[in-house]
Each structure stands twice: as structure tokens, then as C-alpha cells.
Amino acid sequence: MKVNRFKDNPIITPNDVSPYHENHEVIGVFNAGIAEYNGETLMLLRVAERPLSQNDNVVKASVINSSNKESKLKLIELDRQDPAYDFSDPRTIRLVEKEETAFLTSLSYVRLARSRDGQNFTVDAQPFLYPEVELEAWGIEDPRVTQIEDTYYIQYSAVSEKGVGVGLISTKDFNSYERHGLMLHPENKDVAIFPEKINGKYYALHRPVPKGIGRPEIWIAESANLLHWGNHKHLLGLSEDGWDSGRIGGGAIPFKTEKGWLEIYHAADTEDRYCLGAVLLDLDNPSKVLSKTDEPILAPEADYEVNGFFDQVVFTCGVTLQDDRIRIYYGVADTSMALAEISLKELLDKLTYEKIPEGEGI
Amino acid sequence: MKVNRFKDNPIITPNDVSPYHENHEVIGVFNAGIAEYNGETLMLLRVAERPLSQNDNVVKASVINSSNKESKLKLIELDRQDPAYDFSDPRTIRLVEKEETAFLTSLSYVRLARSRDGQNFTVDAQPFLYPEVELEAWGIEDPRVTQIEDTYYIQYSAVSEKGVGVGLISTKDFNSYERHGLMLHPENKDVAIFPEKINGKYYALHRPVPKGIGRPEIWIAESANLLHWGNHKHLLGLSEDGWDSGRIGGGAIPFKTEKGWLEIYHAADTEDRYCLGAVLLDLDNPSKVLSKTDEPILAPEADYEVNGFFDQVVFTCGVTLQDDRIRIYYGVADTSMALAEISLKELLDKLTYEKIPEGEGI
């Protein structure tokens, strides 16, 4: 299948965004949710900022202290030689004895970027969504946006020491917004709410990460009001080997085609190489899988996809659709944003029907 | 605080219950949900059955194959010498290389026991709730029962290779019933739905088990219809050491007192010794913790609590209340059911207010 990467990729990089916090650097501008509003394409950028450290032996981490009215940003300083901590993962600082995550190395929040042509974006100077509550103390990550009539529902990872849950915020104008708390409890992320009711119910894809039994796979839930979710069903599992054997999760907001609901999702292998795949769900019953791609539709190949803060990642939170053209906005290497186009018809032709395991999605 | 253990404890043991499955033995009759119906006290017993094996080198496991209309019970046979499996845990058989649970050693379902005096019980010969769907293929465990008007809502662990989620079933007569699917996705258990709406919303305690960040602690969620749940909040955390430093979770269905909603929950230390504690929640806003017990109100001390299939466990799924007397029905050592009485007044007096960490429950 032909994938047209945009010639000016990556379209936004950390160099294009000035840090919001003093004495911090922007290390990632990625995994943006996509909305079409008021004639513009909006990217809800996940911006990750890391505190600068003048001393290589001092490791700093920033968290939000929501109960402190004056200075919400709290700077942690750790001694790199302290044997209580493991600093080897670029994303997290771990407590050695308890085998727990102590801090993240960066703090994420959401900033808007706006474009008339969907290709050239201008980034807002101020955050749009900033951590405000205890369950977001470690950041707001990977937003996705579902438009239902004139309201935009933003689903995002709410990260804190209590876990990674799924926060829900609604807005009508991308200026003011309303918080609805966690729509799903930890550990869960990669939620994608369908853009309309199906047989009287709302649906959402989600990706729990169970500890004792089970794998990081795609589930589907239903709701009467978008705030409360239930009747959870397992939708799509890992393969035993290959590109989708490590973890899979929702990507873009699903969109309607003649053949079914089309979802472009992400899958990683056991080496943490992230690709994009597609799955087609029944129009009347989206908990039924009709078909899926055997091979990735987009894999990390370009230099900006292969090399970055976390190598070998393509990861989408949103697409736009115009006639036969699917524009995939995707984060690359946990660092920047890129853009690629594929043909809807070619993608539907690529979906295969014979590889769905029996009982899957039922 | 005075705890009156019933003199005939344990009140139900595996010897009192004949296996439902051919060539199986009952290894546990425990963790029963409690309901008061039609002048009787009902115990919804978790019955765990294990396949008999004539050959010590053959390890058997039973699972439910819900798509097979004729014979739902599927017997797995494994070679005890097979290095691919780890048989060292009495509860699970693990895949060594993938570090995953392959099977449970027993299959649980729910059987009713009935009593006029709340002390002497007769066990039904047939199961009441039996695994019927793919997400229950490894069993139905630890039921809890909330009466709301004339309907009884049964919350239970639905266990399968996909994970441990929370199933919901409703009944009006403990004969016919309706399935409502999973109310909470994996990994979650120890759910206790409050018996009435509070300020227009239903509430439930639950206990997620996140993999990457966070601990097995008590959360609270709200609902408009009992089927779909959201606005999840962290309620009560582990202590750094002592009796509640390993995991905590909901126990009995919370009940109303003059001082607040009283919840008797379970807590284990890092050595997996399970005790019962109590926490008082605000009457108008149960996501607010008012006070809790510093020490266990019931700890494994009697022989039947200390020794069994899994040692050192007291675990309640339900209590009854009559004037000042709280009757705690509790599973002991993952083996049998026991009964103890405590005074409501003494328990309320034992709750301390000074040990609640700042910000907890907010």
C-alpha cells in the first residue's frame, strides 16, 4: 500500500516550541489529537518538558502539586549516585527496592497548533490543557478528540503516582472547557470514543494493562452519557509473534465507511517497535471485528521515525478524511509530529478477512 | 475491641459441599456474598473445585468452553515435569518464559446456602451462578450482593485468560437472573456497590491492580444506572508498612450509620496475611474519608483462619446488621466460611481521625 509521507516531515519538532516552564527544555511535541474546528485543523499537541540540570549528578523531575495555590510546579532533585533509584530508562525514574515508578523524567501537557491547510501549523504560546488535579500530577498525555455535534470530547492519559487513567474533558470552543474526571480507572489508556451513537449507545475503544492475568490489548465499552462506561468486551488481541505481539491500543478516532467502522490503531512488537495497523468493525455492532490488516500500514522507516527520544515509534491519535484521502497525523519517536496520506480505498482493499481468530470480538 | 467468633466456626467447610463436577473435589467454600431475602439469610458461596488426578505427574485444570454447547467443561492435562510450566503456586499454573498465568488450579462458581437464623446453613445441590461467557472461562469468584429496593445486584470477579474484571448480575428472586456484562474492565475486583443513591448518583468501591504505575488500593466510582461507571477517584491507600502495606480492597457492602458510611474492607501485608479493617466515609460524599481503624478489627488467629489452602486469610464479602450487632461472614484461609460478631458502637469508637494523610480522598 502506498504511503505518502509529507515532504516537510516532521511538521512540528521540539525546536518549534518554546518551553512554558522556566529552566525547562521541550523534549517532545508528539502524539497529538486532531480536531476540525471553525475552518481550521487543530492539533492538540502533547508537549513534554524536562527540567534543565546544570549538574550531571543531579537528576531533576517536575510534578504538579495541585493543592499549592501559588506554585503548582514542584521540582524534585535526586542524586544520580543514589542506589535507591534506577535512572536507566529515559522515560522514568524507578525505585529499586519497591520496583515502582518514582517519577517521570518529563511533564506533559497539551498545547494547540492551528492550520488552515492541515499542513502548516502555528503553535499557541500558552498551554490549552494543563494538569490541575491530583490524578494528573505527573501529566496529561496522548489526547484524542471526538466531535459529537458541536461538542468536542477530549480523552487523555491522566498520569499520577496513583496510576495511568483516562481523563475526559469537553469543550465547544477550544478555549473554555469542562472536566469530567476519569472515565476509566487505571491502568488504561489509548481511548477512542466513536463519533456518534450506535443503536442508542456510545462506544469507546480502550486498552487496559492488567497486572496478574491478561495482556495489553484492545477492549470496547459502551455508555449512555459519555461519562460512565460499562459492558466492557475484549475486542482485538495480540498475535503470537511479529509486529503486533507486544502491545496494541486504539489510535485515531474511528470513522464510518460503507464497509464498517475503520480504526487505525497502534501495535508494538516485543522489542517496542511501534507500527500502525487498521481494523474494520461492524457498523451496527462495533464489538464485532470484520477484518484487519495482516501487515502494518505504516512502520518506522524514515530517519525521524527511527531515531529520537524513544526510537522506532509511529503513533497516531487522529486522522482527517477528505473523499478518498486519509491524512494520518502521527507522533514519531516520542519526539515530533509527522503527516502521511493514504488512500481509503487502498486501505479497505488491504484488509483481510481470514485471519480473525474464532470467537474474537464476540 | 471484642470480637465474638461463632463457637461452631467454621460454619461451612469443603466437606459440607459435594462437588458439582464429576471427578472433581471441592477445595474451597469461601468468600460468600450475603443477602437477606424472604426471611432468610443467603450466602452466595464461592465454591472452588479442582479436577482429581490419579497420577501425580499429571496436573489437571478445568476451564469453561462457553462456545461448546454440549460439554462446557474442558479438562486440561499437563505434565508436571514440563519445564514450560511453573506449578509452585497452589492457585495458578504459570508459563515460565512468558511470565504469564496459563491456568488456575481450580474453577470457581457460586452456590447458595440458606439459613433462618443466620448461623445454620443448608447448601443448595446445584450452582446458582455458573460461568457462561468467554470472560468467565476461568470462573466466577468472590460475589458481593447489594439490595436496591427489590433487586439484588451481584458483583463478582469474572476471570478468564483476558483478565480479572468485574461482572454484574441482577436478580429479584435468586432463581432467575439477568447478566449485565463487565461493569469494570480488568484488572479490577473487590467491588462493593452502595445500597442507595447519594445525591442522585450510585457509588461503588473498587480495587484496580495497575501494572506500570500505582498500587492495589481502593478507588470509588459513580454511576447513573448501575451498568456504566465513571468519575473514578482514588479513595484509600496502602500504608508504608504493617498490616495494610501490601494490598487493600473493598469487603462488605457499605452500610449507613449516623456518623457515615461504614465499610469493612480487607488489607494484606507484604507477606499476604489478610486482615479486616474499617473505614468511615462521608454520608453526603462517600469519596471523602472521615476516619479509619489503625489496627485490624479481625486478624487471622484461630486455627481455621491460619491454616488452609492459602494460609493467614480473613476476607469478608458481606455482613448483616441488627441493632448494635454486626455479623461478619468471612472466608478463612481460602477454604471455609466463618462468622464473627462485633459491636457497631465499639467499632465506631475505635475509628481514629488523626491518621488520614492530607489530600486523601479528595
Side-chain angles (χ1 to χ4, degrees), chain A residues 92 94-95 98-101 104 134-135 138 159-164 180-188 201 206 208-217 219 222-225 227-234 237 239-240 247 358-362, chain B residues 92 94-95 98-101 104 134-135 138 159-164 180-188 201 206 208-217 219 222-225 227-234 237 239-240 247 358-362:
Chain A
T92 61
R94 289 179 66 79
L95 279 167
K98 292 208 165 185
E99 297 181 352
E100 280 181 359
T101 303
L104 302 186
E134 200 184 335
L135 293 176
W138 290 6
V159 188
S160 75
E161 63 175 353
K162 305 301 186 201
V164 181
H180 304 287
L182 290 197
M183 58 179 272
L184 294 171
H185 63 75
E187 183 166 342
N188 208 321
K201 289 173 193 157
H206 62 92
V209 187
K211 183 168 187 180
I213 300 173
R215 297 167 168 184
E217 299 179 326
W219 289 59
E222 62 179 49
S223 175
N225 60 10
L227 309 178
H228 308 137
W229 296 84
N231 200 11
H232 299 273
K233 294 179 181 173
H234 182 266
S239 63
E240 284 308 308
R247 50 182 59 228
E358 203 145 328
E360 197 69 76
I362 295 171
Chain B
T92 61
R94 289 181 65 79
L95 279 167
K98 291 208 164 182
E99 297 181 353
E100 281 181 359
T101 303
L104 302 185
E134 199 183 336
L135 292 175
W138 291 5
V159 187
S160 74
E161 62 175 354
K162 305 301 186 201
V164 181
H180 304 288
L182 290 197
M183 59 178 273
L184 294 171
H185 63 75
E187 184 165 339
N188 208 319
K201 289 174 193 157
H206 62 92
V209 187
K211 183 169 186 179
I213 300 172
R215 297 166 168 186
E217 298 179 328
W219 289 60
E222 62 178 50
S223 174
N225 61 9
L227 309 179
H228 307 138
W229 295 83
N231 200 10
H232 299 273
K233 294 179 181 174
H234 182 264
S239 64
E240 284 308 308
R247 50 183 59 227
E358 202 144 330
E360 197 71 71
I362 292 168

Side-chain angles (χ1 to χ4, degrees), chain A residues 35 58 60 126 235 261 349 352 362:
Chain A
V58 177
K60 294 183 182 175
Q126 297 290 314
L235 185 74
W261 288 100
D349 287 346
T352 50
I362 295 171

Side-chain angles (χ1 to χ4, degrees), chain A residues 44-158:
Chain A
L44 282 76
L45 297 165
R46 171 180 169 187
V47 178
E49 298 194 8
R50 183 168 60 186
L52 294 166
S53 181
Q54 277 67 42
N55 182 342
D56 197 47
N57 270 325
V58 177
V59 179
K60 294 183 182 175
S62 292
V63 300
I64 298 296
N65 181 359
S66 53
S67 59
N68 187 332
K69 298 285 178 223
E70 277 157 35
S71 172
K72 292 208 183 303
L73 195 73
K74 184 178 170 190
L75 205 62
I76 312 290
E77 300 202 358
L78 304 171
D79 178 354
R80 194 181 291 280
Q81 310 306 326
D82 188 339
Y85 295 98
D86 173 0
F87 299 103
S88 63
D89 190 313
R91 300 165 297 181
T92 61
I93 300 165
R94 289 179 66 79
L95 279 167
V96 173
E97 195 181 333
K98 292 208 165 185
E99 297 181 352
E100 280 181 359
T101 303
F103 300 104
L104 302 186
T105 56
S106 65
L107 178 71
S108 292
Y109 61 91
V110 174
R111 233 146 117 173
L112 286 178
R114 303 160 193 272
S115 173
R116 285 272 158 199
D117 61 6
Q119 298 177 359
N120 298 287
F121 285 83
T122 309
V123 183
D124 280 7
Q126 297 290 314
F128 170 49
L129 303 178
Y130 193 80
E132 281 178 28
V133 295
E134 200 184 335
L135 293 176
E136 296 169 357
W138 290 6
I140 292 178
E141 304 181 354
D142 302 353
R144 291 171 176 88
V145 191
T146 303
Q147 182 181 358
I148 298 177
E149 295 166 3
D150 66 343
T151 304
Y152 295 81
Y153 291 88
I154 303 163
Q155 312 119 64
Y156 59 94
S157 294

Side-chain angles (χ1 to χ4, degrees), chain B residues 129-133 136 140 156 168-170 177-181:
Chain B
L129 303 178
Y130 192 81
E132 280 178 29
V133 295
E136 296 168 0
I140 292 178
Y156 59 95
L168 183 68
I169 281 175
S170 64
Y177 55 82
E178 187 180 354
R179 286 183 127 75
H180 304 288

